[in-house]
Amino acid sequence: MFKSKKEEPNLSSTNTYRLSKIFEQKKWPIENPFGVSEFNNFCNLFASLTEEQRELMFNLTNDFLWIQSNEYIGYFAKAFDSFVTNFDFGDIHTIIITPLLTEDDFFNSKSSDALYYMIMASQQQIQSKYNNFNISFIDNPKKIFETSINQKFVLCLIDDFIGTGETAKSAVQFFLNNKILINHIAIVSLVVMKTGYDYLQANKFNVFYSILKEKGISDSSRDVVKEILIMEEIEKNIGVKEKFKFGYGRSEALVKMIHTPNNTFPIYWLSNNKNKYPPFPR
């Protein structure tokens, strides 16, 4: 059984062991070099729940995806290869890679920027692997219209996570407004929620990913009605605002990236005096 050096989780040894097995299976870190670990917060969080609520959280945590920063390149490589392999390039041989950003966020730091700078370190290797293309990297979508690139190109908008698809649609709309054709634009993301994917597909957008995630409760094979009632009780107890119930857009996401998406169930990230031990606070 793992114990924090600073806190003793008030959780039974049986449940602490169950959590430790999830961490072991998923290869999640037990310790945190900067303080209280995610594992310790999980233990404290689970200790604050009723038995029925705790069983739901065990089910959800078993399905939880935590992609850590050192895993980003591997997931991106899979998503990007899906794009290059399956996109209809026609006679176009130039790809421009840029962060997926709405116009309002062009000069704000977002998770898509973090992904962009991570893969920039592999620029030469990416170009070498896909040497049938001329691959350019532009760090801000607005700069695309300020460069000397005048040949036809396919625009590759990259992000680490897509939830409802609303942000991605807004980001693409900027380029459509600037007369870039929709069939010359691809969205490439590490993780995409299926509801967001379906939404973007319905709008005729090209979307490629490494992992497609379904809703944590509604799309499960468990007792959906019962689990929804339990989660509603949990969220009432911890004071979740209407906008974020079951995650933004009721996404029911079970995902943690470098930053925790607000599409994820708030029990995992909401920090207040009613939810003192979120393991993945935003």
Side-chain angles (χ1 to χ4, degrees):
M1 180 174 72
F2 298 93
K3 295 183 179 180
S4 167
K5 295 177 182 178
K6 294 186 177 181
E7 297 182 35
E8 290 291 336
N10 183 25
L11 189 65
S12 71
S13 59
T14 299
N15 285 323
T16 303
Y17 177 75
R18 287 177 68 187
L19 269 174
S20 73
K21 294 305 290 184
I22 291 175
F23 269 66
E24 180 182 338
Q25 179 186 12
K26 292 178 174 290
K27 297 182 170 61
W28 291 353
I30 292 289
E31 302 293 335
N32 187 316
F34 296 109
V36 177
S37 69
E38 291 83 3
F39 177 77
N40 215 53
N41 279 333
F42 262 109
C43 288
N44 280 292
L45 171 62
F46 277 42
S48 71
L49 303 174
T50 67
E51 184 176 351
E52 191 175 48
Q53 293 169 348
R54 189 160 47 244
E55 284 306 307
L56 169 60
M57 289 300 292
F58 270 117
N59 288 336
L60 296 181
T61 305
N62 268 314
D63 294 337
F64 203 97
L65 175 67
W66 178 8
I67 297 182
Q68 297 167 69
S69 57
N70 64 339
E71 299 176 299
Y72 266 47
I73 294 299
Y75 281 96
F76 175 78
K78 182 179 177 182
F80 189 75
D81 191 69
S82 176
F83 155 58
V84 173
T85 303
N86 297 294
F87 189 86
D88 183 7
F89 286 91
D91 61 350
I92 299 176
H93 296 283
T94 297
I95 298 172
I96 295 179
I97 297 176
T98 194
L100 187 150
L101 295 167
T102 65
E103 193 168 2
D104 290 340
D105 286 326
F106 279 176
F107 300 102
N108 296 325
S109 179
K110 307 295 286 187
S111 58
S112 58
D113 291 303
L115 173 62
Y116 174 85
Y117 288 109
M118 283 183 189
I119 67 168
M120 270 289 291
S122 302
Q123 182 176 0
Q124 290 183 348
Q125 292 93 327
I126 293 170
Q127 179 64 77
S128 177
K129 180 173 182 178
Y130 301 103
N131 55 21
N132 291 332
F133 295 93
N134 174 32
I135 302 177
S136 298
F137 288 73
I138 296 180
D139 64 3
N140 190 296
K142 192 173 183 180
K143 292 182 181 178
I144 291 170
F145 302 99
E146 301 170 358
T147 67
S148 59
I149 296 176
N150 53 20
Q151 70 268 39
K152 291 191 295 184
F153 58 84
V154 169
L155 190 60
C156 175
L157 305 177
I158 64 170
D159 205 351
D160 62 346
F161 175 81
I162 291 175
T164 63
E166 295 169 3
T167 298
K169 183 177 183 293
S170 178
V172 172
Q173 191 61 50
F174 168 78
F175 295 102
L176 298 180
N177 293 344
N178 283 277
K179 303 189 184 324
I180 294 182
L181 300 177
I182 195 168
N183 60 340
H184 290 179
I185 301 173
I187 297 167
V188 176
S189 180
L190 308 191
V191 181
V192 180
M193 295 299 295
K194 187 176 184 302
T195 50
Y197 178 80
D198 291 343
Y199 172 75
L200 294 171
Q201 287 273 291
N203 282 275
K204 311 301 182 186
F205 295 165
N206 299 289
V207 185
F208 303 90
Y209 54 83
S210 177
I211 294 181
L212 190 69
K213 287 285 284 182
E214 295 189 326
K215 291 188 173 185
I217 293 178
S218 296
D219 293 330
S220 76
S221 58
R222 302 182 301 270
D223 188 337
V224 172
V225 174
K226 178 181 178 181
E227 290 196 349
I228 285 176
L229 290 173
I230 296 171
M231 183 55 76
E232 286 176 345
E233 180 184 44
I234 290 174
E235 294 194 342
K236 180 180 178 180
N237 291 344
I238 66 174
V240 178
K241 293 180 180 179
E242 187 66 34
K243 180 180 180 180
F244 297 113
K245 287 183 177 178
F246 284 60
Y248 178 80
R250 293 191 73 89
S251 298
E252 299 184 36
L254 292 169
V255 178
K256 155 78 172 147
M257 312 297 290
I258 292 178
H259 301 293
T260 309
N262 60 18
N263 307 81
T264 290
F265 287 103
I267 184 69
Y268 287 98
W269 57 262
L270 178 63
S271 182
N272 60 27
N273 60 4
K274 297 179 180 179
N275 194 43
K276 296 180 179 179
Y277 303 105
F280 303 124
R282 285 171 54 79

